[in-house]
Amino acid sequence: MFEKILIANRGEIALRVLRACRELGIQTVAVHSTADADAMHVKLADESVCIGPPAAKDSYLSIPSIVSACEITGADAVHPGYGFLSENAKFAEILGEHGIKFIGPSPENIRTMGDKIEAKRTAKALGIPVVPGSEGGVADVAQARKVGKEIGYPVIIKATAGGGGRGMKVANNESELELAVSTAQSEAKAAFGNGEVYIEKYLQKPRHIEIQVLGDGQGRAVHLGERDCSLQRRHQKVWEEAFSPALNVEQRSAIGDRVAKAMCDLKYEGVGTIEFLYEKGEFYFIEMNTRLQVEHPVTEMITGLDLVQEQIRVASGAALLYKQSDIQFAGHAIECRINAENAQTFAPSPGKVDAVHFPGGLGVRIDSALYSGYRIPPYYDSLIGKLIVFGKTRAECMMRLKRSLSEFVIEGVDTTIPLFQRLLNEADIIDGNYDIHWLEKFLARTAK
Ligand code: ADP
């Protein structure tokens, strides 16, 4: 087992990883930018190293600074969290060259799955159902038209190098195609430095359902059920739950087993998520995330497993402790992502947090690095905490969520807590009757 892990991240996820390390008896090193000197993960870690100025590219994304921090502190492994360098194959490779273990899959697996076209090709070859679309990138509008004719409209044009819901454009018919392709290409070029795009059938009322997997890199892998992440704003998840209100036990194990088998074939190491759109009983692969997800606690609640500890264990070379039949699912869990944003306009609201009071009690978990007097810096993601609630049934979970939200106090900055309170009064949410467009429509309908 590792002796000292450097956590190459900040905020709630740095704290989450730190907690797992501490329970495993592993020393922790926090890294931070100058803007994060007062952050909770820095206060709680055994050691900390300042790795640069506020801009992420000069600190949390600076590979030389992080490698130096490992060498100075003698860390033998790095946990990348999510975002930042977590899906950077080069980072994993460079750490390897320095004799430091990257806690995550092999650089090859990261690379294959990070290229959306390659990922789709690989998924298809492994027997995972994919969205109908172009075989690879489309070079020009003529080729796009050909694909459009084959698969039928509407279609969605997506950036090969895409992420974070950016660089996607929908064309409802052939006359909209030319503009959609050129806009997607130029947006992709500007955002990712790579203008390549591909085309998929645009599903009109899908749910976003993803399968959590865990593998040991030695050919053993299990699935840990699904999460329904259909409630999204601008393609960003807002609320996640397990199980999906749309799936039954047979559907869950059918898709789960297929994905777990694919991960065995890939000799996948660590945790990963295979994302699908789900419509009319069919699953369509959209992408794989080769890292821990923001919404992983939902899965922890229904399986009782600590996914970060499992990640660390397999990274240290241990074989997977579980067969599929050892994984027991129970209850229902919902996560609400609390952002420092205005709940109506979604304008970011950084600044000083005057007071914080977290809800508690049975079945309530808060993952947050917030404390009273903390100043939320304006440079990073606006996620300031996650409220995760567990219940024996979905109905119990919803009541507990309502109760928890009513206890939650964050003073000094705007937060998205009021949005969740509004959602809990909606019949569709109570019934679990929503698709990936539901939230946008709700926000448009209720905009002041
Ligand atoms: P990113 O990597 O940018 O998050 P994804 O491919 O995961 O991009 O897609 C993000 C979201 O965009 C999905 O959750 C879904 O809401 C929407 N989306 C992606 N592909 C399609 C599609 N073929 N049809 C309809 N919606 C889609």
Side-chain angles (χ1 to χ4, degrees):
M1 185 46 87
F2 306 116
E3 279 179 16
K4 195 186 273 188
I5 291 179
L6 181 141
I7 304 164
N9 217 300
R10 62 180 301 284
E12 69 86 18
I13 196 61
L15 208 55
R16 166 73 193 88
V17 174
L18 189 145
R19 287 173 173 149
C21 292
R22 200 146 278 173
E23 289 177 20
L24 289 170
I26 298 169
Q27 296 280 305
T28 53
V29 180
V31 292
H32 65 90
S33 70
T34 50
D36 275 341
D38 291 331
M40 191 56 118
H41 75 282
V42 178
K43 293 182 196 288
L44 288 181
D46 297 305
E47 290 169 74
S48 65
V49 180
C50 180
I51 50 166
K57 69 173 177 27
D58 301 321
S59 49
Y60 298 104
L61 289 170
S62 166
I63 297 177
S65 305
I66 294 172
V67 173
S68 306
C70 288
E71 296 198 319
I72 293 166
T73 56
D76 46 4
V78 169
H79 194 300
Y82 53 67
F84 295 130
L85 295 169
S86 61
E87 291 178 292
N88 187 315
K90 192 89 200 134
F91 179 53
E93 240 158 40
I94 291 173
L95 287 177
E97 285 159 12
H98 286 78
I100 303 159
K101 174 67 185 165
F102 173 81
I103 299 176
S106 66
E108 297 73 51
N109 280 174
I110 299 175
R111 210 163 263 137
T112 306
M113 292 303 173
D115 176 318
K116 294 189 140 202
I117 291 177
E118 201 48 41
K120 235 178 130 175
R121 214 175 268 141
T122 307
K124 207 170 168 182
L126 289 166
I128 294 175
V130 302
V131 194
S134 55
E135 292 280 337
V138 290
D140 52 31
V141 180
Q143 199 189 344
R145 272 200 202 99
K146 201 161 153 272
V147 178
K149 272 212 175 66
E150 273 161 32
I151 61 176
Y153 288 86
V155 297
I156 184 166
I157 296 103
K158 298 165 82 169
T160 310
R166 287 177 304 167
M168 290 188 266
K169 287 276 164 294
V170 176
N172 289 301
N173 48 53
E174 197 175 296
S175 63
E176 289 180 12
L177 192 63
E178 186 163 351
L179 183 62
V181 170
S182 59
T183 326
Q185 281 170 333
S186 50
E187 278 187 21
K189 184 99 183 77
F192 313 110
N194 171 359
E196 191 183 33
V197 297
Y198 63 107
I199 299 190
E200 273 179 1
K201 176 101 187 146
Y202 182 67
L203 300 170
Q204 300 193 43
K205 289 186 168 179
R207 299 181 79 113
H208 173 117
I209 298 182
E210 57 187 34
I211 309 288
Q212 176 70 56
V213 292
L214 169 65
D216 64 5
Q218 303 169 36
R220 281 172 291 258
V222 291
H223 76 84
L224 303 175
E226 83 280 11
R227 293 180 290 258
D228 194 318
C229 313
S230 302
L231 287 175
Q232 301 180 353
R233 177 178 170 270
R234 300 201 171 156
H235 302 300
Q236 300 271 12
K237 298 161 189 168
V238 168
W239 154 307
E240 300 98 347
E241 62 181 300
F243 300 105
S244 168
L247 293 193
N248 60 33
V249 179
E250 290 75 36
Q251 287 168 310
R252 171 169 314 114
S253 54
I255 189 73
D257 288 347
R258 197 183 301 191
V259 166
K261 162 89 176 51
M263 293 305 116
C264 294
D265 293 348
L266 269 186
K267 288 209 167 48
Y268 188 79
E269 178 183 317
V271 297
T273 301
I274 294 74
E275 298 192 335
F276 293 96
L277 294 177
Y278 173 82
E279 193 174 67
K280 298 183 188 132
E282 300 291 334
F283 284 92
Y284 302 95
F285 170 87
I286 45 174
E287 68 165 341
M288 174 165 187
N289 292 318
T290 53
R291 54 166 168 84
L292 191 68
Q293 305 258 121
V294 176
E295 59 272 25
H296 76 276
V298 162
T299 301
E300 297 187 319
M301 298 297 248
I302 61 156
T303 59
L305 294 181
D306 183 317
L307 291 193
V308 180
Q309 291 192 8
E310 297 301 334
Q311 264 188 306
I312 295 172
R313 250 186 226 116
V314 296
S316 75
L320 203 61
L321 292 173
Y322 317 95
K323 299 188 296 297
Q324 193 63 52
S325 56
D326 298 326
I327 308 294
Q328 298 293 324
F329 298 106
H332 195 92
I334 298 176
E335 173 180 281
C336 297
R337 295 193 190 194
I338 317 274
N339 290 346
E341 286 172 4
N342 182 284
Q344 290 280 344
T345 63
F346 298 97
S349 178
K352 186 164 173 245
V353 177
D354 297 322
V356 177
H357 173 77
F358 290 147
L362 183 67
V364 178
R365 166 174 170 181
I366 303 284
D367 278 19
S368 172
L370 228 52
Y371 60 87
S372 293
Y374 174 66
R375 192 170 281 280
I376 302 168
Y379 312 104
Y380 313 106
D381 195 271
S382 60
L383 182 77
I384 51 169
K386 306 182 307 203
L387 166 63
I388 309 107
V389 169
F390 177 83
K392 289 193 288 297
T393 60
R394 187 169 188 271
E396 184 180 281
C397 192
M398 296 284 277
M399 288 307 286
R400 190 161 282 155
L401 184 54
K402 200 169 205 165
R403 188 271 288 170
S404 304
L405 287 166
S406 74
E407 290 174 18
F408 215 139
V409 179
I410 299 178
E411 281 173 7
V413 296
D414 287 344
T415 77
T416 48
I417 291 174
L419 170 67
F420 297 108
Q421 286 169 320
R422 279 166 65 208
L423 289 180
L424 286 171
N425 293 325
E426 291 297 309
D428 284 344
I429 300 298
I430 294 166
D431 298 341
N433 179 25
Y434 54 80
D435 61 33
I436 60 168
H437 304 300
W438 189 94
L439 184 59
E440 294 277 10
K441 285 189 204 146
F442 168 78
L443 293 172
R445 192 170 71 233
T446 57
K448 286 212 179 101

